[in-house]
Amino acid sequence: MKYMALIYTAPTLTPPMGDSMNQAYFALNQKMKAAGVMVGGDALHPAATATSVRLRSGKVETMDGPFAETREHLGGYYILDCADLDQALHWAAQIPGAAYGTVEVLPLVVFG
Amino acid sequence: MDPLVQVLRQDRGRLLAALVARTGNFQRAEDALQDAAASALVHWDRAGVPTSPTGWLLRAALRKAIDSYRRDTSLARHRDAIALLAQEEAADPDPQAIPDDRLRLIFTCCHPALEEKTRVGLTLRSLCGLTTEQVAAVFLDAEPTMGQRLSRAKAKIATARIPFAIPGPEDLPDRLNSVLTTVYLIFTAGYAQGPQAGTDLCAEAIFLARLLVHLTPHQPEVEAALALLLLTHGRQAARTGPDGLTLPPSQQDRNLWNRAELDEGRSLLDTAIARRRTGPFQIKAAIAALHAEDTAPDWPQIAALYARLQDFEPTPVVALNHAVALAESGQPGPALAQVQALAGVLDGYQPFHAVRADLLVRVGKVEVARLDYLRAIGLAASAADRNFLLARLLALE
């Protein structure tokens, strides 16, 4: 069963992505890989670099910025393969961003 | 009472837990039990009530679950499940002999991934056997609204795969606290409303707490939760006077106390404390036990317990109760200072204004106290509370 863990943090409340933060993520990645739960994951550049697009009446509308202006921004994600929600939440709680922001866990839809 | 209603009232939780354990799906289990009950309605009326009504329902529900798998478009995926259910159905299972899976069911219903209100609703529906209509009445919701809430919860349990399992030792204390808090919420809802429309939520909460003591032996927090309910419930009859007014504990008639309940509560609390693993429910039960003493309550001790409770539950309401105990211990000044600090967060909370009014009177600020009483009266949830506060206001000089 695959889950997506979305990491939301408020830039003003989060320590910069320095060495210690990088190390914390690196250590978690190693742990997740060793446990065989990590399918993937990435960190994202700040919301200021986001561009939103939508198609309206056949026309592409392009906008500077994220889809919604919120205090907390999507800063990264993991895709985890876990037995159940308890296991997914157990890993999500260890994501360094959980200590500063919120990690949202969603089950992925399996097609076919 | 109608035999089917009686069986479902008594054994619905057990049957549902057994079916969830076998199908791994809350909704499928509930539908199977529902369909089995519908068959029972027809068959029992025609052929009489079977010797083991619960066994009959379990067998029927297993057949209904098999039918529902067969109707499923992805039938191939369910072959093993069908074979297993069929085998069990053929063996004519004795419901009393199969493992009691209600503990797993209650951990699922009270999972922290579900909203608090949903936990209460699911627990009342699944473990206590209340109808959706009765559950809706608890929250003054319309039945379809509650029905939708429960369906969404069951869909989330299945889709997000909330496990039907007893948590491991690492998670157990937190998860148990979530279960006990749900039971306590059911109790307090019943305590505020009193029995109504055939539903006595206090009795349901005590039933659940007893079930938990039975299913998770040697857990001090579970024993203390039951103790807390008994020590509170045992004093309920004395809570209001003949005129329907809420009485302060000092004026309550102790002859109306249920001594058996209070004794059982005290003895359970002693057992829990002897296990030497302190937790919030033990502290709350100890406070309730001090209120249930025949002599005047030991307020300095109660204040000390509330101070300790704040370590576990640093909430404004606990801080307010701590302030009340401080004032009763002869420290109205520090108590008022502590209460004033809560003004921002507890502004819409009736007891906050009632407590502050009382403290203001004690320090001689009667005029300001009047405003707080008026505010508290405006926020009062029941006529008994409103009349009590009104009497306090009118007694002011």
Side-chain angles (χ1 to χ4, degrees):
Chain A
M1 175 88 172
K2 292 196 180 67
Y3 295 87
M4 188 158 194
L6 299 165
I7 307 159
Y8 290 95
T9 49
T12 49
L13 299 174
T14 313
M17 215 41 205
D19 282 348
S20 67
M21 190 62 122
N22 279 333
Q23 265 166 26
Y25 273 100
F26 185 76
L28 177 64
N29 293 352
Q30 293 305 107
K31 232 171 118 182
M32 283 178 172
K33 280 176 191 156
V37 294
M38 184 165 161
V39 179
D42 284 294
L44 304 178
H45 280 292
T49 64
T51 310
S52 302
V53 290
R54 58 188 179 200
L55 192 65
R56 291 292 180 275
S57 324
K59 209 168 152 300
V60 175
E61 297 175 5
T62 307
M63 283 148 295
D64 183 12
F67 163 63
E69 286 290 351
T70 50
R71 204 172 59 87
E72 299 201 314
H73 295 157
L74 181 62
Y77 72 92
Y78 280 97
I79 297 196
L80 305 171
D81 194 357
C82 294
D84 57 35
L85 184 66
D86 279 358
Q87 207 190 16
L89 295 178
H90 165 81
W91 286 107
Q94 295 180 59
I95 296 173
Y100 308 98
T102 305
V103 178
E104 184 180 327
V105 179
L106 292 146
L108 295 194
V109 175
V110 182
F111 292 99
Chain B
M1 198 194 280
D2 179 76
L4 179 60
V5 173
Q6 202 177 339
V7 173
L8 284 176
R9 180 76 192 79
Q10 193 187 311
D11 287 330
R12 189 175 192 280
R14 241 193 120 121
L15 286 167
L16 187 63
L19 291 163
V20 178
R22 280 154 185 77
T23 60
N25 185 307
F26 213 113
Q27 189 66 61
R28 197 184 292 274
E30 204 169 59
D31 290 346
L33 187 53
Q34 187 74 35
D35 292 348
S39 302
L41 213 55
V42 177
H43 285 266
W44 297 7
D45 192 40
R46 200 185 300 146
V49 180
T51 36
S52 165
T54 311
W56 192 98
L57 277 175
L58 180 59
R59 271 191 96 172
L62 288 169
R63 283 195 297 271
K64 298 293 181 187
I66 293 170
D67 290 347
S68 89
Y69 277 125
R70 289 203 174 119
R71 283 195 304 270
D72 203 315
T73 44
S74 44
L75 174 66
R77 238 192 280 161
H78 301 308
R79 285 206 196 287
D80 294 347
I82 292 174
L84 219 63
L85 291 176
Q87 202 178 1
E88 195 160 13
E89 193 274 332
D92 192 7
D94 171 8
Q96 299 311 316
I98 59 168
D100 189 342
D101 279 314
R102 281 179 294 179
L103 188 58
R104 293 163 71 186
L105 185 60
I106 197 168
F107 272 116
T108 305
C109 291
C110 299
H111 197 283
L114 300 170
E115 218 185 310
E116 203 163 70
K117 183 173 171 181
T118 304
R119 291 180 219 165
V120 169
L122 270 185
T123 303
L124 285 172
R125 178 83 187 96
S126 310
L127 275 306
C128 301
L130 265 62
T131 62
T132 304
E133 189 186 358
Q134 286 170 318
V135 177
V138 170
F139 295 101
L140 308 175
D141 276 349
E143 190 186 338
T145 313
M146 180 50 70
Q148 276 165 18
R149 173 181 283 272
L150 296 179
S151 305
R152 273 199 305 271
K154 281 175 276 185
K156 179 171 179 182
I157 290 169
T159 311
R161 210 178 276 181
I162 292 178
F164 182 70
I166 296 160
E170 193 187 324
D171 295 333
L172 191 66
D174 278 353
R175 294 286 307 280
L176 207 46
N177 189 266
S178 174
V179 169
L180 296 175
T181 303
T182 304
V183 173
Y184 190 59
L185 281 172
I186 292 172
F187 182 83
T188 49
Y191 200 74
Q193 298 173 338
Q196 55 177 11
T199 316
D200 181 354
L201 292 179
C202 289
E204 297 298 347
I206 291 172
F207 157 77
L208 286 168
R210 282 195 194 286
L211 180 65
L212 286 164
V213 169
H214 169 68
L215 295 174
T216 56
H218 318 303
Q219 288 285 351
E221 282 293 276
V222 179
E223 292 160 339
L226 177 56
L228 172 62
L229 303 194
L230 294 171
L231 287 164
T232 311
H233 194 248
R235 292 179 289 134
Q236 190 178 26
R239 200 167 54 126
T240 47
D243 47 4
L245 256 64
T246 304
L247 292 174
S250 59
Q251 289 168 32
Q252 293 178 5
D253 179 1
R254 282 155 201 230
N255 293 317
L256 297 174
W257 284 2
N258 182 334
R259 298 282 162 180
E261 263 186 352
L262 296 180
D263 287 344
E264 190 191 354
R266 270 188 281 265
S267 136
L268 271 161
L269 177 60
D270 288 345
T271 310
I273 289 172
R275 301 194 193 281
R276 305 205 158 273
R277 278 182 283 148
T278 310
F281 278 96
Q282 290 168 74
I283 298 171
K284 286 182 224 181
I287 293 168
L290 287 169
H291 282 298
E293 290 292 333
D294 277 319
T295 50
D298 180 348
W299 285 106
Q301 182 68 30
I302 293 173
L305 285 167
Y306 273 119
R308 181 81 177 95
L309 185 57
Q310 284 179 290
D311 296 340
F312 291 97
E313 295 179 7
T315 66
V317 171
V318 175
L320 182 69
N321 285 319
H322 179 231
V324 171
L326 277 182
E328 294 294 336
S329 316
Q331 300 182 59
L336 184 57
Q338 189 166 324
V339 168
Q340 294 290 20
L342 302 168
V345 274
L346 290 182
D347 188 51
Y349 185 60
Q350 177 250 309
F352 166 78
H353 294 282
V355 166
R356 190 165 70 175
D358 183 58
L359 293 176
L360 287 166
V361 173
R362 288 192 202 202
V363 300
K365 295 181 177 168
V366 179
E367 282 315 305
V368 211
R370 242 181 261 280
L371 295 175
D372 261 327
Y373 272 127
L374 286 171
R375 189 73 209 286
I377 289 164
L379 291 167
S382 70
D385 288 349
R386 196 158 37 243
N387 292 337
F388 168 74
L389 293 163
L390 202 54
R392 297 290 286 246
L393 175 65
L394 295 173
L396 291 182
E397 282 305 309

